[in-house]
Amino acid sequence: MNHFLDIHKTDPAALRGMIDAARSVKDARRGKPKGARDADQPLAGHMVALIFEKPSTRTRISFDVGVRQLGGESMVLSGADMQLGHGETIADTARVLSRYVDLIMIRTFEEQTLLEMAEHATVPVINGLTNRTHPCQIMADVMTFEEHRGPIAGKKVVWTGDGNNVCASFLHAAGQFGFDFTFTGPATLDPEDEFVGLARKSGVTVQIERDPMKAVAGADLVVTDTWVSMHDSQSSRERRHNQLRPYQVNAALMAAAKPDALFMHCLPAHRDDEATSAVMDGPQSVIFDEAENRLHAQKAILRWCLGV
Ligand code: CP
């Protein structure tokens, strides 16, 4: 049984296999209506639980559609509406769900919830985002980069802004896919030391550079995310905005990267805060390809988890 809990916990050959499978299945679907089933129906007879303790547009819809395209069935559950949100333990929830469904995808707050779900479930568990990481997003982002620019190995990826959960999964991917990673942002919002150390240990170059213009020199990819994540308090909003304003992705910053550098944002975005609309809608932006590729990448993840 394969859980998909984090990129750094997944074998690099398996990760590569998933990216390649996602690209093949995307190619095979070209020109078909969104509701059309894939030629292959590996999830026929399978039931998937999609649990959300936080809001979601992309993750919820792309998993739901992906399961159906693969011939399976899914149920979207709000954590608050389940007994999980009213005191039932995660361990008991995991054991009960495992009697009904073939796979559990969960978006939750604390990483510990995900880990306990995986420990006690007897079916595969997928991390649909925690406060700490967002691996499905970065699988889609690696796929998107490679569609546009070829292998990501050896490239320079620059994250600008908050060293949040999406940034953490990019760091994990740097180690597993072999690309260099530079973080630029205020020291108070640095990515976790543990994740920086892990990536460095794998042999890739990881740099922390406070000057965003210096950071993006030679960048093949510039990435940012919202300045206030779902788990951040709204009272920190003004402080965060003041700290992060110098790290906005705008035309001047993109001009300091390589001329063919791509721009990514996992969405949802606060336009003209972390990135200007001119960049988001400009020729270097691949933000909607990233969103689409959530669907294809997650179908490959589902198949890997279930071994089908
Ligand atoms: N990028 C992402 O995970 O989007 P949602 O929060 O809409 O799922």
Side-chain angles (χ1 to χ4, degrees):
M1 183 174 68
N2 292 318
H3 297 305
F4 187 74
L5 301 182
D6 270 316
I7 288 178
H8 65 299
K9 295 176 180 170
T10 309
D11 176 61
L15 293 170
R16 171 49 56 198
M18 287 184 244
I19 298 287
D20 293 347
R23 287 193 67 175
S24 304
V25 79
K26 180 176 180 178
D27 288 346
R29 282 194 65 84
R30 251 177 243 291
K32 288 190 180 168
K34 309 291 183 300
R37 301 281 176 106
D38 284 1
D40 239 9
Q41 294 285 278
L43 260 64
H46 289 80
M47 180 63 75
V48 175
L50 306 172
I51 304 173
F52 290 89
E53 295 195 300
K54 289 182 176 187
S56 168
T57 296
R58 279 144 289 269
T59 306
R60 181 167 62 175
I61 298 169
S62 56
F63 264 109
D64 198 358
V65 169
V67 170
R68 295 181 204 208
Q69 288 181 353
L70 292 170
E73 293 196 52
S74 61
M75 55 180 75
V76 179
L77 304 158
S78 145
D81 293 339
M82 298 169 68
Q83 299 293 6
L84 181 62
H86 301 275
E88 186 165 22
T89 67
I90 298 155
D92 286 350
T93 305
R95 292 182 186 114
V96 170
L97 284 179
S98 299
R99 301 290 179 108
Y100 300 137
V101 304
D102 300 290
L103 183 145
I104 300 165
M105 191 291 309
I106 181 165
R107 167 170 287 197
T108 187
F109 292 89
E110 301 305 325
E111 183 181 51
Q112 192 53 32
T113 304
L114 171 80
L115 299 179
E116 278 184 52
M117 188 69 82
E119 183 185 344
H120 297 284
T122 55
V123 298
V125 174
I126 295 177
N127 176 358
L129 178 146
T130 71
N131 292 356
R132 231 176 154 211
T133 61
H134 195 4
C136 291
Q137 178 66 53
I138 300 329
M139 291 295 281
D141 292 353
V142 169
M143 175 183 174
T144 304
F145 182 90
E146 294 195 338
E147 274 182 336
H148 287 270
R149 294 286 183 267
I152 198 167
K155 301 293 186 189
K156 177 177 175 179
V157 174
V158 178
W159 180 280
T160 174
D162 179 13
N164 66 8
N165 49 359
V166 184
C167 176
S169 288
F170 246 117
L171 261 170
H172 294 155
Q176 299 290 63
F177 288 97
F179 57 85
D180 294 335
F181 188 85
T182 298
F183 170 82
T184 184
T188 47
L189 298 174
D190 274 350
E192 290 184 39
D193 288 343
E194 178 190 332
F195 295 156
V196 171
L198 260 176
R200 284 187 175 143
K201 219 168 135 184
S202 74
V204 297
T205 301
V206 179
Q207 292 184 306
I208 309 279
E209 168 57 61
R210 300 290 166 220
D211 180 340
M213 297 300 267
K214 282 187 190 161
V216 298
D220 297 286
L221 171 62
V222 178
V223 196
T224 192
D225 193 7
T226 180
W227 288 344
V228 185
S229 293
M230 285 183 275
H231 55 274
D232 293 321
S233 69
Q234 282 306 311
S235 62
S236 68
R237 191 174 182 281
E238 195 180 330
R239 174 175 48 78
R240 283 174 159 271
H241 274 236
N242 289 336
Q243 286 180 315
L244 288 162
R245 208 160 281 124
Y247 297 96
Q248 182 193 63
V249 184
N250 50 36
L253 194 72
M254 288 306 293
K258 276 189 181 169
D260 68 344
L262 296 176
F263 169 71
M264 287 191 188
H265 187 309
C266 67
L267 304 177
H270 295 82
R271 283 175 172 260
D272 300 312
D273 283 347
E274 66 268 20
T276 60
S277 281
V279 169
M280 291 182 66
D281 299 328
Q284 289 165 285
S285 173
V286 290
I287 58 177
F288 297 111
D289 291 339
E290 288 177 82
E292 176 183 342
N293 286 339
R294 292 293 302 276
L295 169 67
H296 308 297
Q298 288 160 191
K299 284 164 73 177
I301 294 168
L302 286 161
R303 293 188 71 158
W304 176 78
C305 285
L306 289 164
V308 294

